[in-house]
Amino acid sequence: MRRLPQSLGRLVASLLALALATAVTLLSSAQPASAHGTLAMSTPESGATVQGPLTSVALYFTEKVGANAYFTVTAPNGVRVDNGWTYGEPKALTKPVREYFLVDGQFQPREYTTGFPAVVSVAHLPAAGQYSVSYLSVASDGDAVRGTMTFRYTGRATTAPQGWQPPTQQPDPALLAAIDQHASTGQQPVASAAPAGSPNTAQAAPAVPSDGRSGPGALLWVGGAVAVLAAVAGFVVWRRRSSTVGGPSGRVRASKAPAGRGGRVAPSARKPVARRSAATANRNAATAATGAATAGTNAATAGTNAATAGGSRAAGGRQDNAVVSGSRLTNTHLALLVGGLVVALLAGFGLARIGAGDASPAGDGRRPAAAGGVPTGSGEALSAGNGHDHAPGTGPHSHPGDVSAGETLATGTTVSAGGYTLQPLERTQPPGVRADYRFRIVGTDRQPATRFAVVHEKPLHLIVVGRDLGGYQHLHPTMAPDGTWSVPLTLARSGGYRVFADFSVSSPDGRQVPLVLGVDHHVPGAYAPAALPPAQAQATAGPFTVSMTGTPTAGVTAPVRFQLTRTDAAGPVQPQRYLGAYGHLVVVREGDLGYVHVHPEQELVDGAVAFWLTVPSSGRYRAFFDFQVDGKVQTAEYTINLP
């Protein structure tokens, strides 16, 4: 069998390097997130403490906001204190902001160094505490520009101007219509990470490009191939170098070097040749694999370690009988090996792209949906990770069913979304009778899903509410090994109900995908819908009076806070953590029963449970605030009217 000449060895090494470079190119082809007109900085800065009175807040965007942009400033007591806004003079940003634009099918970066301010007047500062500044506009590409920044005021209270009244106007209908029209075009805008100095905005899920280009799944495929290529590169280069030490024969004879005891080659004779060659091969393999790792894959690092370990083990091995074996790889074998590795690399990348392209939007254009068919057969719950862990001062953020920081779509109005379907095993039950409600979550493979992420201490939250927005229940069913969920359910009144399954699944590429599915449930008998109570700022829940402060606004992320007091005693009451948070807020829209589920700041804000609520549209809503005191869960209910 003909052995590998030195020239062909160099050719093989070059081919392997080319394959690694191809992998790096493919890895770097993942599209960047894009967003336009983002908030770049503010005065005062988000999260800053202001000691002296101020009369305005300046928000600097990367492009000039529209004339119908909407701004609010909310005081700690929930009252708006904004008094209109004007354009300000452009100003150099403290840190440049990079945004991306789609040009000829490719995302091109554009760096902004100038901020265009909107100056929001503040009528007065009624109390010390946390103030919130919310904004809503439309960028030049049609995306919604939406968010909130906060600052803390520690100075003295200031009085309102004579005759001044807190503003009550809602956003311009044309502004909301433009946002809604852009969201309904089927486009998938993606939210970029907030620039340094910008406010704490919603945590955005990883962006899924609309053309299905490489995502995390592609990185795993390519990373695995790169690891194999790196290992093979290190091995082949080492074998090529070792085969050239003694000439064409590929062997080192003892007579050519000083011998040690027992006729073996002395260590000093081995170091300058074999070990130096192996070290060179290790460096070459490590350089190639490290370059691939820089492109975004940890698997390439594993390949580097494998190649390095192989080379070091060979270099340090004992060369018994003063012989180093030559390469036994033939030209044909090497051609097949390199060709097979390149084909595997490209095939894996193609499969990853196909998997990414199967994902479809579910509920929110800015939140990627799952590809159906998550592997089943395991009832083990998965950790949701950072996707649902709130750091102190997180600001507005989204959860399953939330209105995201990007678009304003309520969820739960459909039985299927993101490749999953809520499949109830019972559709009706008698009134006032305790019965097991059973259901499955079925993927596109028509098999029940069994792997769910634990979000706020539970793998699935089941919300039940009547079509008249009464009879609210927040339940936590249990799952059997076959994927069947069950929970005892009692419905006292006849009529129609909506059952919402609020959960997160793990997609094939490892992302946590939040979903809310809704299905109707019926209780036979005479149905007499109850009228919604009038909108009030206080509600009674057991022995507690719960005050709601804030001004929910259509399309705008606004602060809403809940303060607890005992009905028969003075002074505030501090709630206990329930399901990992100080409270949970579910908001359901009258009519289509659109569902919004919001979780609060991780810590209390000025003694209150603070939420960031984006009401999706005008209309009437029923809000349900769950909290826990003395180990018992209570629910305060409110009506919200938005003209």
Side-chain angles (χ1 to χ4, degrees):
M1 184 177 291
R2 190 159 52 91
R3 294 191 177 94
L4 179 69
Q6 182 175 358
S7 60
L8 186 56
R10 292 195 184 97
L11 177 61
V12 170
S14 300
L15 289 175
L16 290 172
L18 177 62
L20 289 173
T22 302
V24 171
T25 302
L26 293 175
L27 284 169
S28 62
S29 67
Q31 292 182 358
S34 71
H36 311 304
T38 54
L39 181 67
M41 68 179 188
S42 63
T43 304
E45 294 183 355
S46 181
T49 297
V50 178
Q51 298 178 347
L54 53 79
T55 58
S56 65
V57 175
L59 305 178
Y60 293 86
F61 299 88
T62 56
E63 66 181 26
K64 190 175 180 180
V65 298
N68 63 348
Y70 183 82
F71 300 91
T72 66
V73 180
T74 305
N77 60 0
V79 176
R80 285 177 56 180
V81 294
D82 52 282
N83 194 21
W85 70 276
T86 60
Y87 291 112
E89 291 296 325
K91 180 180 178 180
L93 298 176
T94 56
K95 184 176 182 180
V97 174
R98 177 173 295 179
E99 296 179 359
Y100 291 85
F101 292 80
L102 191 62
V103 179
D104 297 330
Q106 297 292 329
F107 278 103
Q108 301 294 336
R110 184 179 301 175
E111 194 168 83
Y112 291 85
T113 58
T114 302
F116 300 88
V119 181
V120 185
S121 297
V122 178
H124 70 122
L125 302 168
Q130 186 185 81
Y131 285 73
S132 306
V133 183
S134 299
Y135 54 90
L136 177 66
S137 183
V138 176
S140 58
D141 63 348
D143 283 355
V145 178
R146 184 197 333 267
T148 299
M149 60 83 67
T150 63
F151 64 90
R152 180 164 292 277
Y153 177 62
T154 59
R156 60 178 179 82
T158 61
T159 58
Q162 186 175 4
W164 182 84
Q165 294 293 328
T168 58
Q169 81 275 12
Q170 296 290 311
D172 183 357
L175 174 62
L176 297 177
I179 294 173
D180 182 68
Q181 181 179 6
H182 183 73
S184 62
T185 59
Q187 300 181 33
Q188 284 188 305
V190 286
S192 67
S198 66
N200 254 333
T201 54
Q203 292 181 356
V208 177
S210 59
D211 63 354
R213 293 190 178 184
S214 61
L219 296 184
L220 293 176
W221 276 101
V222 178
V226 171
V228 175
L229 288 171
V232 173
F235 178 77
V236 171
V237 175
W238 171 76
R239 292 293 290 256
R240 180 178 63 80
R241 293 297 182 91
S242 63
S243 66
T244 62
V245 172
S249 65
R251 296 180 182 272
V252 178
R253 301 185 183 277
S255 60
K256 299 292 184 180
R261 292 182 180 182
R264 296 192 178 100
V265 177
S268 60
R270 293 197 301 267
K271 287 181 182 178
V273 181
R275 188 164 296 176
R276 187 162 55 241
S277 299
T280 302
N282 295 341
R283 283 196 299 272
N284 294 339
T287 301
T290 303
T294 304
T297 174
N298 293 329
T301 305
T304 302
N305 294 337
T308 303
S312 299
R313 194 161 49 248
R318 302 177 64 183
Q319 302 177 358
D320 293 334
N321 300 323
V323 175
V324 178
S325 298
S327 172
R328 298 181 181 274
L329 295 177
T330 66
N331 297 349
T332 303
H333 289 165
L334 280 171
L336 291 175
L337 175 63
V338 174
L341 288 173
V342 173
V343 170
L345 170 66
L346 297 178
F349 182 75
L351 288 174
R353 287 195 58 171
I354 292 174
D358 288 340
S360 59
D364 183 359
R366 287 183 183 261
R367 189 166 51 228
V374 170
T376 59
S378 171
E380 176 186 2
L382 304 173
S383 172
N386 293 334
H388 296 284
D389 293 337
H390 317 142
T394 297
H397 53 281
S398 301
H399 292 273
D402 292 2
V403 176
S404 81
E407 304 299 333
T408 55
L409 299 178
T411 56
T413 57
T414 60
V415 71
S416 298
Y420 293 88
T421 299
L422 174 57
Q423 187 181 82
L425 302 184
E426 291 87 19
R427 302 299 299 268
T428 185
Q429 68 182 77
V433 175
R434 182 183 175 92
D436 282 342
Y437 183 78
R438 300 181 304 148
F439 63 95
R440 299 188 183 100
I441 306 297
V442 180
T444 54
D445 56 1
R446 299 184 180 180
Q447 297 299 314
T450 57
R451 291 178 63 84
F452 295 81
V454 174
V455 179
H456 285 276
E457 302 182 1
K458 299 293 181 181
L460 188 145
H461 301 259
L462 196 74
I463 306 297
V464 182
V465 64
R467 298 206 68 87
D468 60 359
L469 303 184
Y472 167 85
Q473 297 184 54
H474 184 165
L475 308 173
H476 300 107
T478 57
M479 187 187 70
D482 66 352
T484 300
W485 294 86
S486 63
V487 63
L489 176 63
T490 303
L491 299 173
R493 299 186 301 124
S494 299
Y497 291 81
R498 190 73 171 174
V499 177
F500 300 98
D502 186 335
F503 61 93
S504 291
V505 293
S506 180
S507 67
D509 60 10
R511 291 182 294 109
Q512 299 301 332
V513 181
L515 291 172
V516 177
L517 306 178
V519 69
D520 288 332
H521 191 66
H522 184 65
V523 176
Y527 174 53
L532 277 180
Q536 293 183 345
Q538 288 188 339
T540 300
F544 305 100
T545 298
V546 186
S547 300
M548 180 180 70
T549 59
T551 308
T553 306
V556 177
T557 303
V560 177
R561 300 180 186 178
F562 295 90
Q563 185 77 58
L564 279 63
T565 58
R566 289 191 181 273
T567 305
D568 56 354
V573 175
Q574 179 168 323
Q576 300 168 333
R577 292 190 184 274
Y578 166 57
L579 299 177
Y582 280 115
H584 300 264
L585 182 64
V586 170
V587 180
V588 182
R589 181 168 52 198
E590 184 181 39
D592 67 347
L593 302 184
Y595 173 95
V596 178
H597 189 178
V598 192
H599 295 285
E601 292 278 5
Q602 187 71 2
E603 303 298 332
L604 298 177
V605 177
D606 299 326
V609 185
F611 294 86
W612 299 97
L613 175 64
T614 311
V615 180
S617 66
S618 60
R620 290 204 300 177
Y621 296 79
R622 193 68 170 162
F624 306 94
F625 170 54
D626 294 331
F627 64 94
Q628 178 175 267
V629 178
D630 299 330
K632 186 176 181 179
V633 178
Q634 308 281 355
T635 301
E637 303 183 8
Y638 305 84
T639 298
I640 298 175
N641 291 329
L642 292 182

